[in-house]
Amino acid sequence: MGEPEAGSEFANGAAAAAGPMADTQYILPNDIGVSSLDCREAFRLLSPAERLYAHHLSRAAWYGGLAVLLQTSPEAPYIYALLSRLFRAQDPDQLRQHALAEGLTEEDYQAFLVYAAGVYSNMGNYKSFGDTKFVPNLPKEKLERVILGSEAAQQHPEEVRGLWQTCGELMFCLEPRLRHLGLGKEGITTYFSGNCTMEDAKLAQDFLDSQNLSAYNTRLFKEVDREGKPHYEVRLASVLGTEPSPDSEVTSKLKSYEFRGSPFQVTRGDYAPILQKVVEQLDKAKAYAANSHQKQMLAQYIDSFTQGSIEAHKRGSRFWIQDKGPIVESYIGFIESYRDPFGSRGEFEGFVAVVNKAMSAKFERLVASAEQLLKELPWPPAFEKDKFLTPDFTSLDVLTFAGSGIPAGINIPNYDDLRQTEGFKNVSLGNVLAVAYATQREKLTFLEEDDKDLYILWKGPSFDVQVGLHELLGHGSGKLFVQDEKGAFNFDQETVINPETGEQIQSWYRTGETWDSKFSTIASSYEECRAESVGLYLCLHPQVLEIFGFEGADAEDVIYVNWLNMVRAGLLALEFYTPEASNWRQAHMQARFVILRVLLEAGEGLVTITPTTGSDGRPDARVRLDRSKIHSVGKPALERFLRKLQVSKSLSPGGPPPTSPGALSVTMCQAQRISWEQFLLL
């Protein structure tokens, strides 16, 4: 879970909902903030061997992070290569002098630097938080003069001109389909070939399930023959391609299939040159590993990236889970499925971080109380794991985070079968949170004036509490009902009752089925909603607040600001909804909008939203949370909602969750267009 500020004023979002989006929606402003993550002290305290271990893991992460460019848009790798050429030949000051000589203004050049920083930060030209395209905030002709007259172009004229010709038009293009990531007519994606539809994605997922193959490290490519028949290629990420290799669980899968009348071919070798660099650095890191768990973990990761095996990555993840309390913590691979339009394929991510011992001590106390706190969650004991597998929970200072964005906290691995039987780890990224705390009063949208100072004072501490609960007891809770390959169940069919219907259990997960494959496009949003709701619900528990050092009036303020932050985030979330396509572009923000709807539907004045006119003359709003009704109205509403969420997740319905009235059906199974004006009438 991450909680970066949404950034823009809602007036832009309101304009977008009311009509065609203005180009400013797709431009990074020149005054956008740039934050440094302080990790000097953390790195200084490492031993020489620990520093070298961190160094080689970081290089592996950065090399692997290049795959994100290939997972984002067709032009992203070329934009990155072009920028790298420019800045290697001339530093920013030298390039500035050249740009001014070419007729650019200081504002033009600043816009170019902001765009470049955006590409590096997001590892591509689409925002990692919201999946919206951003374009340079200067005329294309001016940027072309800078590029073609640069030192890089003098040194390598054919290469630089070729890169510009390949990506220049797409860099600026804002045709409707290119404005957002998506599948088919809904947006652009490189997880699938451009002719794939959602029906192709569903067919491919069913094929993968039938062969017990994970989608995490795959892409799908479709070709249509002269008779109009589609042929599908499922391409695995790996160093090895078609050359002979030792037998592994992958080798036997590399062949042709016929599935539901369509030919499928499973191949590998996707991102091979990049993953070769990753493997080389992981192999060097092994020499500085602190223990056998780390060495075995790295050996399995190497096998995974070499062979294209998710099973090997799972084995590596098991050793990673067993490596308790390392000084240098890391994780690497195809991890988060937020940006796959179908919700099953993982974006490459790699991080390296160092333990912050003071904050970790608080999280250790939270872990020690976890079994007791799990009993407070509003679902029957049969819907909770048979045994709580005590995880690591540490606060880390990030040294390296390669991927499309940096979250504030993480619960991994994302393999639900491992979470259920092996356990997991939670990390809170302390130096990321420190940056997230910084809130300027003048940029606090939607809040009443008398709430702003309290919000600024307690946002940081309340966010610590929310992140801890979200990761440990949100993502770490709940049981999936499973029937294994031998037909055995992990629950008692005779005695376990569905609390929503009062009947015996009618559905469950079968061999080859996973949470992502069954819930597909809503899986990420659904799980983030469940975790966020757990955080809100359990922050009401006095024991939790005592663990973080809050009692009395301070504890009540932390609760209030945590809930207030969530309802405000629900409004900010509308910026991440695309009315034209009737879809959400960011899982966390869809989740927060859902929670806002739940609290609004609770009624009794718990949450009120009042339309206003802002100082700029545009539509605005104020949100108010009645703190006296959080326990009496808010808690019961969340209790009912959380129970519904967990029951649906446990039972693996054949389709999306049941469509009952209320926020669950309106937002998680979104099928309607939402505008600001419509929202105020809800």
Side-chain angles (χ1 to χ4, degrees), residues 39 55 67 78 129 154 182 255 264 284 327 394 396 406 414 416 425 444-445 474 490 500 539 572 645:
C39 59
H55 167 73
Y78 298 99
F129 202 82
Q154 306 306 315
K255 59 184 180 181
F264 276 81
K284 290 179 179 179
I327 299 300
T394 49
L396 305 175
I406 306 180
N414 283 338
D416 259 310
K425 282 187 182 181
L444 274 181
T445 51
N490 69 341
E500 295 295 310
C539 84
L572 290 170
L645 286 177

Side-chain angles (χ1 to χ4, degrees), residues 20-39:
M21 289 191 177
D23 283 357
T24 52
Q25 288 288 308
Y26 306 100
I27 288 171
L28 303 176
N30 275 9
D31 63 351
I32 195 169
V34 177
S35 301
S36 296
L37 299 185
D38 186 3
C39 59

Side-chain angles (χ1 to χ4, degrees), residues 644-681:
K644 184 186 295 289
L645 286 177
Q646 182 54 52
V647 168
S648 293
K649 180 178 181 180
S650 292
L651 301 186
S652 176
T659 53
S660 58
L664 186 63
S665 62
V666 171
T667 54
M668 296 317 259
C669 306
Q670 188 63 249
Q672 62 174 335
R673 298 162 70 90
I674 294 177
S675 71
W676 176 241
E677 290 77 10
Q678 289 170 331
F679 179 78
L680 290 174
L681 298 174

Side-chain angles (χ1 to χ4, degrees), residues 184 262 613:
S262 294
T613 300

Side-chain angles (χ1 to χ4, degrees), residues 87-99 109 151:
F87 289 115
R88 284 177 177 173
Q90 293 171 279
D91 67 31
D93 286 337
Q94 293 170 332
L95 205 56
R96 172 179 171 274
Q97 294 301 323
H98 164 59
Y109 184 63
E151 185 65 29

Side-chain angles (χ1 to χ4, degrees), residues 455-502:
Y455 181 90
I456 291 170
L457 179 64
W458 290 108
K459 181 192 173 186
S462 70
F463 198 37
D464 275 339
V465 175
Q466 179 68 11
V467 168
L469 294 172
H470 174 116
E471 302 298 347
L472 176 67
L473 298 168
H475 291 313
S477 64
K479 179 176 180 174
L480 301 184
F481 290 176
V482 176
Q483 182 182 24
D484 65 23
E485 63 276 5
K486 297 179 181 178
F489 293 88
N490 69 341
F491 65 97
D492 189 332
Q493 285 184 286
E494 299 299 322
T495 61
V496 177
I497 299 298
N498 181 337
E500 295 295 310
T501 65

